[in-house]
């Protein structure tokens, strides 16, 4: 686990940065007649690694019963790369970024559901 954080701390500066949604889960996307009609919840939006944003999205949209569906992952990455090909450095850090994105949301969910709210 520490290796994962070390890699992220020492590589994210070199990864392409930009404005990211940082929470693009299925429940934050609206569709009408199978067409994208809206994106919700910009609370987590920030400047960050574009690869991190893709990893967050992949962890939700490409998972089934806790496992990555390789066909969905390939489809997501192919569609993304048709608009902006991943840089070599991004490809090298893809697995690490998937883990970091999963850990971020696991910890956030754990914090929300495990620590009592003093206001209640």
């Amino acid at each position: 686990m520490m290796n994962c954080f070390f890699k992220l701390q020492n590589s994210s500066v070199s990864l392409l940065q930009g404005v990211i949604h940082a929470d693009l889960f299925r429940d934050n996307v609206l569709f009408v007649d199978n067409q994208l009609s809206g994106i919700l919840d910009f609370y987590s939006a920030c400047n960050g690694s574009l690869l991190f944003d893709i990893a967050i999205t992949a962890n939700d949209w490409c998972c089934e019963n806790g496992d990555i569906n390789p066909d969905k992952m390939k489809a997501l990455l192919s569609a993304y790369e048709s608009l902006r090909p991943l840089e070599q450095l991004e490809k090298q850090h893809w697995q690490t970024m998937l883990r970091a994105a999963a850990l971020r949301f696991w910890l956030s969910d754990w914090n929300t559901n495990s620590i009592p709210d003093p206001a209640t």
Side-chain angles (χ1 to χ4, degrees), residues 13-113:
V13 174
S14 300
L15 295 174
L16 190 58
Q17 304 284 304
V19 176
I20 63 172
H21 185 276
D23 192 16
L24 200 54
F25 281 79
R26 284 175 270 199
D27 61 348
N28 289 330
V29 179
L30 301 175
F31 290 92
V32 172
D33 297 327
N34 290 325
Q35 292 289 105
L36 178 67
S37 63
I39 297 175
L40 309 172
D41 190 4
F42 287 86
Y43 179 80
S44 298
C46 61
N47 191 63
S49 166
L50 300 180
L51 189 65
F52 187 61
D53 212 25
I54 304 165
I56 290 168
T57 304
N59 276 323
D60 184 53
W61 290 76
C62 301
C63 276
E64 295 175 346
N65 301 316
D67 293 319
I68 295 285
N69 177 319
D71 294 329
K72 287 183 178 182
M73 182 69 75
K74 183 177 180 179
L76 175 73
L77 291 175
S78 293
Y80 184 89
E81 289 197 276
S82 73
L83 300 172
R84 186 189 78 80
L86 294 176
E87 296 176 350
Q88 189 57 40
L89 186 61
E90 291 174 310
K91 291 177 183 181
Q92 290 171 348
H93 290 281
W94 176 239
Q95 292 300 319
T96 301
M97 199 62 81
L98 278 173
R99 290 184 200 104
L103 179 62
R104 176 194 171 216
F105 282 94
W106 182 83
L107 288 171
S108 175
D109 188 54
W110 175 80
N111 183 48
T112 300
N113 295 314

